[in-house]
Amino acid sequence: MTLTLKRSDPFQPSHKEVCHAEMGDSNHFALCTWPTLATGQAVPGGTLIWGRGGDSVSLDLANATDGESIKAGIQVLENLVIFGKNSMDVEPQLAESWKVSDDGLTWTFKLRKGVKFHDGTPFNAKAVYDSFARVIDKNHPFYSFGKWKYVNMSLGMVNEIKIIDDYTIALVTQKPYAPLLNNLALWLCPILSPKAMEQYKDQIGLNPVGTGPFKFVKWVKDDQIILERNDDYWGEKAKLDRIILNPS
């Protein structure tokens, strides 16, 4: 079964909308309306062919500067926290909980256990460290693999990253900075597989490896990006089998 969606507007659906297919407002209709049987029962599976305004630039979202990259990348990559589906409230994603110190400088995150990246690498505090340190630490071995143009919107106020244990990480800011949690929910703060970042280096944006409900399969520039359902996803599994994103 194949669904076809053609859009050229700036709407950027979250993977929650693609995966959960909940009914929403008219802007969401093609992603959130599913084929039904005569009985009215929703039919799972199938392929969504998504026509877009153009091709993506980079699916390493810490480097992304365009909406088409974000639309594809957020299906594959996840953050510590995420905005609610219908609100700007910050909710857990790869972090299960967090707290801030009394002086407002140290944000400590308890990480979700039992999660694996699409390449089989375990998700843990080291993965968070590498994903964040590469953006702000010029001495990190992955720093040279990106341009990090929007660091001030993401991790610019973070002065230190501390691994407390395998599933606890702390971010220390230069001064009390309340917007940090919201920044971490932006597309600019994804967690990628350390193994993949080391393997692909500055080509990680063409070969993204995350923990999301869809896995990256193939990218033919100016033709199509193919994503497939991650059957090992830690959360609710996607209803679609595959997404094919085509430039219009």
Side-chain angles (χ1 to χ4, degrees):
M1 180 181 301
T2 301
L3 308 174
T4 301
L5 167 64
K6 292 183 69 65
R7 298 194 66 95
S8 57
D9 63 35
F11 169 59
Q12 297 170 9
S14 72
H15 65 64
K16 281 187 176 181
E17 290 160 324
V18 174
C19 294
H20 298 177
E22 297 173 351
M23 293 300 293
D25 60 39
S26 59
N27 285 337
H28 300 167
F29 100 109
L31 287 179
C32 301
T33 302
W34 287 80
T36 60
L37 300 173
T39 60
Q41 182 180 3
V43 180
T47 297
L48 171 66
I49 299 176
W50 184 354
R52 303 178 294 154
D55 201 6
S56 301
V57 176
S58 172
L59 300 189
D60 177 359
L61 297 186
N63 263 319
T65 58
D66 64 296
E68 299 302 339
S69 293
I70 298 168
K71 292 174 188 178
I74 60 176
Q75 316 306 331
V76 176
L77 306 178
E78 295 185 303
N79 293 24
L80 292 183
V81 295
I82 190 172
F83 291 117
K85 182 179 182 295
N86 295 309
S87 75
M88 292 298 288
D89 295 337
V90 175
E91 300 177 354
Q93 194 169 50
L94 291 175
E96 291 187 316
S97 63
W98 54 87
K99 64 180 181 180
V100 61
S101 60
D102 291 340
D103 62 8
L105 296 177
T106 302
W107 294 74
T108 303
F109 296 85
K110 292 290 186 180
L111 306 180
R112 194 176 299 278
K113 297 179 180 180
V115 178
K116 289 188 177 182
F117 291 97
H118 301 150
D119 61 3
T121 303
F123 164 73
N124 54 27
K126 180 63 163 57
V128 178
Y129 178 89
D130 285 337
S131 294
F132 288 174
R134 67 183 181 133
V135 176
I136 61 174
D137 181 1
K138 294 181 179 180
N139 294 316
H140 192 276
F142 302 160
Y143 179 82
S144 63
F145 300 160
K147 298 182 188 289
W148 325 121
K149 290 183 178 181
Y150 292 155
V151 65
N152 288 334
M153 291 174 55
S154 58
L155 300 165
M157 286 296 295
V158 175
N159 198 44
E160 186 178 4
I161 306 170
K162 297 180 179 179
I163 295 177
I164 308 302
D165 59 41
D166 284 349
Y167 293 98
T168 309
I169 196 157
L171 306 181
V172 183
T173 55
Q174 300 168 20
K175 59 183 180 180
Y177 185 64
L180 179 64
L181 199 61
N182 290 64
N183 288 7
L184 293 174
L186 294 173
W187 75 92
L188 292 163
C189 298
I191 311 302
L192 288 85
S193 162
K195 178 181 177 181
M197 288 189 286
E198 183 174 13
Q199 175 182 352
Y200 292 113
K201 298 179 171 57
D202 61 354
Q203 299 298 300
I204 186 65
L206 301 177
N207 302 275
V209 180
T211 58
F214 286 92
K215 298 186 292 185
F216 174 81
V217 176
K218 183 171 68 173
W219 184 355
V220 180
K221 290 293 289 182
D222 299 315
D223 184 11
Q224 62 181 0
I225 294 174
I226 300 176
L227 312 176
E228 289 185 347
R229 181 176 59 229
N230 175 17
D231 289 329
D232 296 321
Y233 185 53
W234 59 267
E236 183 179 350
K237 307 296 189 293
K239 292 180 173 67
L240 288 169
D241 294 327
R242 175 178 284 205
I243 301 175
I244 300 176
L245 301 102
N246 295 336
S248 298

